[in-house]
Amino acid sequence: MAAKQFGTHRLSGTLGDITYSHTKSGFKAREKTRVNMADRMYAPQYQAWRDHSAEFRIIAKEARIFRKAFMELNWNIKNKSLLQQTIQLMNEIRKTDSTNPRGQRRASAGELHLLTGFDFTGISNISNAMMENYEAAFNRTTGEATTTIKSMIPKRCLNAPAKATHFILTLAAAAINFETEAINRMMVSTPRLLVDHEILPATTLTITLPPNGTDTVLLVLKLEYETEINGIFYPLMNNMDISSTVILVDQS
């Protein structure tokens, strides 16, 4: 903003490297300061800044690995804020790391169970979409991950869009090593199920990961709808009609 003069010496705004302002104490001028990057990298007074930058790089990497683990599952989800949402969540989890010193703290050493309930759409949540009609479990000894969909009447228990005629539930399990970035992932889905008033028997989805693993295991349950027109099924692609939620986190 160009500086404006209100009298012989009174100015408001910025002129060159000088910022003029009117305070309770009168008009003041302040020179714009520049921090030498070498100072930021080595000066003791910037150690906290360096530590924060190092931890940000760690959580950005861990957020990327988390998103990558379920990229195939979430192929039809368009969430422009997903990167920001996952980094913010990993940053909060980083603060629960009680083992590493400042500058080395990471979400993977913190309470990753705080990822439970995160939905990749940024809008929905499968607990609300299904009225919590499911249970999840993971047995680290056998590597067996299960989700049981309780018996229900879909028309009553699902928050289905009006044009939906069918729905599909998919369980995805990922064993993630945040250090090596290795991901072992598997998915299993129900057949197309009718959105009607008939009682749907309980259904169990099962995935078997390597037994006695030491990696962090996350389970995500996805609910998506389709509409049938003349024998052809069309997926409903609106994020409002999809849920893809972390339902269980198991750290070794």
Side-chain angles (χ1 to χ4, degrees), residues 228-249:
E228 181 185 6
I229 301 176
N230 298 328
I232 301 175
F233 295 91
Y234 300 89
L236 303 184
M237 303 288 281
N238 192 316
N239 276 8
M240 295 289 294
D241 303 329
I242 303 172
S243 299
S244 183
T245 307
V246 179
I247 59 171
L248 185 145
V249 179

Side-chain angles (χ1 to χ4, degrees), residues 127-215:
S127 292
N128 298 328
M130 292 185 61
M131 297 177 61
E132 299 186 354
N133 278 297
Y134 65 88
E135 294 178 347
F138 174 66
N139 187 316
R140 188 166 287 274
T141 302
T142 63
E144 188 174 84
T146 60
T147 295
T148 299
I149 314 303
K150 300 176 184 178
S151 177
M152 62 175 173
I153 299 175
K155 271 289 187 182
R156 297 180 184 177
C157 297
L158 297 180
N159 187 19
K163 56 186 176 182
T165 60
H166 293 74
F167 69 99
I168 299 171
L169 286 161
T170 301
L171 174 65
I176 304 175
N177 187 313
F178 286 96
E179 289 290 336
T180 66
E181 302 189 34
I183 303 171
N184 187 341
R185 52 179 171 265
M186 299 180 68
M187 296 189 299
V188 62
S189 299
T190 65
R192 289 187 180 93
L193 302 170
L194 282 168
V195 180
D196 59 13
H197 290 283
E198 297 297 320
I199 297 177
L200 180 68
T203 303
T204 298
L205 297 172
T206 303
I207 291 174
T208 302
L209 296 171
N212 298 310
T214 58
D215 295 334

Side-chain angles (χ1 to χ4, degrees), residues 3 24 70-71 111 123 184 224:
K24 293 181 180 180
F70 299 101
M71 187 178 298
E111 298 176 10
I123 300 173
N184 187 341
E224 51 194 325

Side-chain angles (χ1 to χ4, degrees), residues 2 50 56 94 111:
R50 292 193 294 272
F56 180 83
R94 167 192 64 89
E111 298 176 10

